Amino acid sequence: MKFLKKENFEAFAKKISRENDIFYPEQTNGSYRWKKNEGESFSLEGHRTVLPMKYFFFPPGENLKEKERKPAVIFGARGCDLRGLALLKKIYLEEPEDIYFRKDILIFSADCTSAHKDCFCAALGDEPWAEEGFDLNFSFARDGYIVEAGSDKGSEILKNNSGLFEDASNARKREILEVRQKTKETVLKQNGGKNIKPAVIAEKIEKNTDVLAKYAEDCVSCGACTNVCPACFCFFLSEGENNKIRYSDSCQYPGYARVAGGANPRKEMTPRFKHRFLCKFFYRPAMQEIKGCTGCGRCIDGCQGGINFMDVLADIAGAAE
Amino acid sequence: MSKDPYRAIDAWITGVIDETPAIKTFVVKPEIPLKFRTGQFIQFTLYGEGEAPFTPSSSHFEAEKFEVTIMRAGRVTEKIHKLKQGDVIGIRGPLGNGYPLEEFEGKEILILGGGVGMAPLRSLLLTLLAEKEKYKKISLLYGSKTPDDIVYKSQFDNWRKKGAEIFQSVDKCETGEWKGKIGVVTCLFEDIKPNAEKGVAIVCGPPIMMKFGTLKLLELGYSPDRIYLSMEKNMSCGIGKCGHCALGKYFVCKDGPVFKYSEIKDIEGIWD
């Protein structure tokens, strides 16, 4: 672990920007949105962005052909984004690999120092900081950042910029725990101290179709929940003029699973609504060994029907066997 | 750059056979021979228009040219039906897992088909007949809506000559021309009693036929791990990424399209 003084952060970012496009979470009206850096100063405090990080890796409506572009560095990715990315990588990079899923992006994640009102990661047993999947992670000490390398590329960057970094003292390392704990408590508190076990959800979904059906009454099949989810990966492959195009798609759309003959296993709302929970808590853990929910709460924020997905999970978890 | 799994290879239509008013068989010659295993599928690409998944209906021992039998059922197949000899299309594949022939060796094989579901089963039948000494018995039970809806009409006698035992039914026949059995395909079991203990059964057809066919096979004593189903789902990417063909925890394109009934029997909506 290294220590980066606050006043050295800008010099570090400038140096990185020489060979990379830099993206970071910009705060506007209390929300965070991804922004391309044009040389302005920025900081890493705050919480997850409105849109997930995933679209840097597979932008909606992408023309699937070779592109010339600078590699990118994403500053300020959050733990939820990285947990989502871990699943996306398993899906997209498994053989045969999707060669258009970007691999030239470095991730410089940062601990959350605040929480969006819908964040519930800690209530789901996850942490409001990244534990793996980053190249560098930035944690907050009083007068700067504690920086941890999570990959060979990250270690190399620290080595190449050794003039800007110093060794982190144990006292400073302890300081980051205070920030982490405070954010975690905020998340737990705003979720009433709930402790939802993903494995319990997986077991109980099938037996609680009636609970899901009740919530599904408010669903308007708009697909916002899947579009803003950092772990949802579905797309529709379409024909472009000289290449294929990968459009975002949603299992919540009525025609999603329909075949040409007209058969549709999920034409009704409740099976579609249930499918999303089964996918996240049962199917993906069974097949990819990663759950498909990160507790970021973006689906709650985006839901046009006002469905609180954390409440759905809490109801299923608390329901009778 | 490594291989692009979304890029189709060019292929030429070298023949078009009218099977029924709604079904045609296309003979396709790909620029590179398609080394598929019977039961695997391909994505049939109309460049700039769309793609749809089909299982080749020819023997997997022929790779230079293969056949694919297509029913007009939607936007893409409507356009495919307009293709003529010499037209260029794209092919992606082979995709998914085919029939596990090694599990069929030494057994009595019962093939239960309905309608255009005969397409992958024809590929299987031709592949089995090419090495028929490996199998104890090969039987085909095939049902169609009416005599006009029978695909591969002229080929049944030839398959009989090659060693397959074939039974056919039609759901109804208003003209009286049909001399055989009338009723849904499972009515053929009134006359034949397969040896479920020594056999395997392979089913493909419309969802309702697959459902009742499977239930009948279970009733006849086939164990769920000896019933093989070719599942039709909405395959888009064909390589287990886009999510469209989800069948419970499986992606039909990658984990199927052939499944043992025992693998999928508890999944909701498998027959829908």
Side-chain angles (χ1 to χ4, degrees):
Chain A
M1 281 190 189
K2 295 283 176 189
F3 176 70
L4 180 68
K5 274 191 200 142
K6 224 168 202 160
E7 55 266 36
N8 281 347
F9 178 74
E10 200 162 328
F12 176 64
K14 282 256 168 351
K15 197 157 172 219
I16 293 295
S17 73
R18 280 185 212 155
E19 286 170 10
N20 301 279
D21 285 334
I22 288 183
F23 296 91
Y24 70 98
E26 183 192 44
Q27 192 185 18
T28 48
N29 301 324
S31 295
Y32 291 88
R33 287 157 216 277
W34 294 111
K35 182 180 181 310
K36 188 172 177 178
N37 185 248
E38 315 278 359
E40 71 276 21
S41 319
F42 62 96
S43 75
L44 300 178
E45 278 88 355
H47 51 261
R48 54 86 171 157
T49 47
V50 174
L51 287 179
M53 177 181 71
K54 68 177 179 181
Y55 291 123
F56 288 111
F57 293 84
F58 59 112
E62 183 181 5
N63 270 302
L64 300 183
K65 56 183 179 188
E66 281 188 68
K67 296 170 191 73
E68 286 199 12
R69 64 186 157 201
K70 264 189 178 177
V73 173
I74 298 174
F75 276 87
R78 307 296 174 188
C80 51
D81 278 316
L82 287 178
R83 290 192 292 277
L85 186 66
L87 175 60
L88 299 176
K89 280 183 166 173
K90 282 219 169 180
I91 296 281
Y92 280 88
L93 301 182
E94 181 187 74
E95 279 297 313
E97 182 185 307
D98 180 325
I99 58 170
Y100 302 103
F101 187 88
R102 283 188 77 170
K103 284 191 288 190
D104 60 344
I105 296 177
L106 293 181
I107 295 170
F108 293 179
S109 52
D111 297 357
C112 289
T113 60
S114 59
H116 182 278
K117 67 174 177 48
D118 296 322
C119 288
F120 67 95
C121 60
L124 200 61
D126 288 321
E127 310 291 4
W129 60 84
E131 290 176 299
E132 56 188 358
F134 52 80
D135 294 287
L136 292 179
N137 184 66
F138 288 69
S139 301
F140 297 87
R142 265 182 209 114
D143 46 356
Y145 301 98
I146 297 292
V147 185
E148 184 188 354
S151 71
D152 291 345
K153 281 180 190 163
S155 303
E156 205 181 307
I157 289 165
L158 289 184
K159 214 167 91 190
N160 294 343
N161 294 281
S162 55
L164 294 169
F165 294 87
E166 53 195 83
D167 286 335
S169 67
N170 286 337
R172 283 201 168 108
K173 283 184 203 165
R174 275 195 296 276
E175 284 171 15
I176 70 175
L177 300 180
E178 286 168 33
V179 179
R180 285 182 167 185
Q181 203 49 41
K182 199 169 145 256
T183 310
K184 187 170 178 170
E185 274 161 22
T186 305
V187 177
L188 285 172
K189 201 173 157 202
Q190 69 185 18
N191 288 287
K194 286 189 185 68
N195 175 12
I196 300 167
K197 299 251 184 306
V200 172
I201 303 282
E203 275 169 33
K204 289 190 169 181
I205 292 172
E206 276 299 352
K207 292 174 198 146
N208 286 286
T209 302
D210 53 334
V211 173
L212 290 158
K214 193 91 193 87
Y215 282 104
E217 285 173 10
D218 291 333
C219 177
V220 294
S221 297
C222 70
C225 55
T226 56
N227 277 300
V228 298
C229 176
C232 274
F233 50 86
C234 289
F235 64 87
F236 177 70
L237 189 68
S238 183
E239 287 291 305
E241 274 182 31
N242 292 307
N243 52 268
K244 296 257 189 312
I245 301 174
R246 206 196 305 97
Y247 288 106
S248 297
D249 208 341
S250 174
C251 60
Q252 300 303 296
Y253 296 152
Y256 176 79
R258 192 178 61 83
V259 296
N264 186 348
R266 294 185 295 278
K267 58 180 168 296
E268 306 295 334
M269 190 60 250
T270 300
R272 281 206 299 284
F273 194 76
K274 185 164 90 172
H275 176 78
R276 190 165 157 267
F277 288 88
L278 283 168
C279 181
K280 296 192 168 301
F281 290 91
F282 181 38
Y283 301 155
R284 299 291 69 83
M287 300 303 274
Q288 279 75 31
E289 298 174 332
I290 300 180
K291 69 181 185 303
C293 176
T294 71
C296 71
R298 288 178 174 101
C299 50
I300 303 171
D301 199 18
C303 184
Q304 301 300 297
I307 301 166
N308 185 313
F309 291 88
M310 202 278 302
D311 287 348
V312 182
L313 295 179
D315 274 7
I316 295 171
E321 293 298 320
Chain B
M1 217 172 187
S2 42
K3 197 170 170 274
D4 181 351
Y6 301 124
R7 186 160 291 275
I9 58 161
D10 285 345
W12 287 266
I13 302 293
T14 63
V16 181
I17 302 151
D18 287 312
E19 301 284 357
T20 77
I23 300 172
K24 289 183 179 185
T25 293
F26 298 86
V27 186
V28 179
K29 184 175 168 38
E31 60 178 331
I32 305 160
L34 185 81
K35 288 186 184 140
F36 69 99
R37 195 183 149 104
T38 182
Q40 281 190 301
F41 73 101
I42 53 144
Q43 284 285 0
F44 192 108
T45 311
L46 292 180
Y47 290 118
E49 302 273 3
E51 262 190 349
F54 303 100
T55 305
S57 53
S58 47
S59 161
H60 77 192
F61 292 112
E62 294 162 35
E64 296 287 330
K65 275 188 190 178
F66 66 94
E67 292 172 17
V68 51
T69 301
I70 296 172
M71 182 164 77
R72 213 171 56 233
R75 188 183 65 84
V76 176
T77 50
E78 193 74 46
K79 287 183 170 151
I80 291 175
H81 267 237
K82 295 195 173 111
L83 290 171
K84 303 262 182 305
Q85 191 172 336
D87 285 345
V88 178
I89 59 152
I91 294 293
R92 286 200 296 127
L95 304 165
N97 302 308
Y99 293 109
L101 297 182
E102 61 290 346
E103 292 177 19
F104 299 171
E105 284 180 21
K107 298 200 176 84
E108 293 189 12
I109 298 167
L110 180 93
I111 301 173
L112 188 62
V116 77
M118 190 58 218
L121 298 178
R122 175 181 180 251
S123 169
L124 174 66
L125 183 66
L126 293 172
T127 305
L128 295 176
L129 287 174
E131 295 182 321
K132 68 168 183 267
E133 65 287 352
K134 285 189 177 173
Y135 314 100
K136 209 164 169 203
K137 188 174 172 187
I138 302 168
S139 312
L140 166 68
L141 279 66
Y142 176 57
S144 314
K145 270 189 194 151
T146 72
D148 285 343
D149 295 307
I150 299 172
V151 290
Y152 315 123
K153 277 187 197 73
S154 61
Q155 299 170 35
F156 286 83
D157 279 342
N158 190 25
W159 298 340
R160 279 193 184 94
K161 274 183 217 146
K162 284 185 176 163
E165 178 189 63
I166 301 178
F167 304 91
Q168 279 181 269
S169 72
V170 295
D171 294 0
K172 59 181 179 195
C173 177
E174 278 156 10
T175 61
E177 65 181 295
W178 182 254
K179 302 298 172 219
K181 200 96 177 158
I182 293 184
V184 294
V185 69
T186 45
C187 78
L188 294 168
F189 288 113
E190 288 164 12
D191 301 329
I192 71 148
K193 293 281 166 271
N195 190 338
E197 301 260 301
K198 292 185 179 161
V200 293
I202 299 106
V203 189
C204 187
I208 188 87
M209 173 262 159
M210 290 185 70
K211 176 179 177 179
F212 288 101
T214 302
L215 293 176
K216 187 72 194 173
L217 290 166
L218 291 167
E219 191 188 307
L220 289 166
Y222 283 89
S223 67
D225 61 350
R226 288 202 170 199
I227 300 172
Y228 298 81
L229 307 169
S230 285
M231 300 306 290
E232 179 207 13
K233 294 286 163 202
N234 181 0
M235 282 87 99
S236 173
C237 75
I239 51 171
K241 311 211 186 287
C242 79
H244 275 264
C245 63
L247 178 68
K249 66 180 181 181
Y250 301 112
F251 293 137
V252 171
C253 70
K254 181 170 141 280
D255 304 308
V258 178
F259 288 95
K260 287 179 184 174
Y261 179 60
S262 54
E263 294 172 308
I264 58 173
K265 64 185 173 59
D266 296 327
I267 298 169
E268 197 178 325
I270 55 168
W271 309 118
D272 296 328

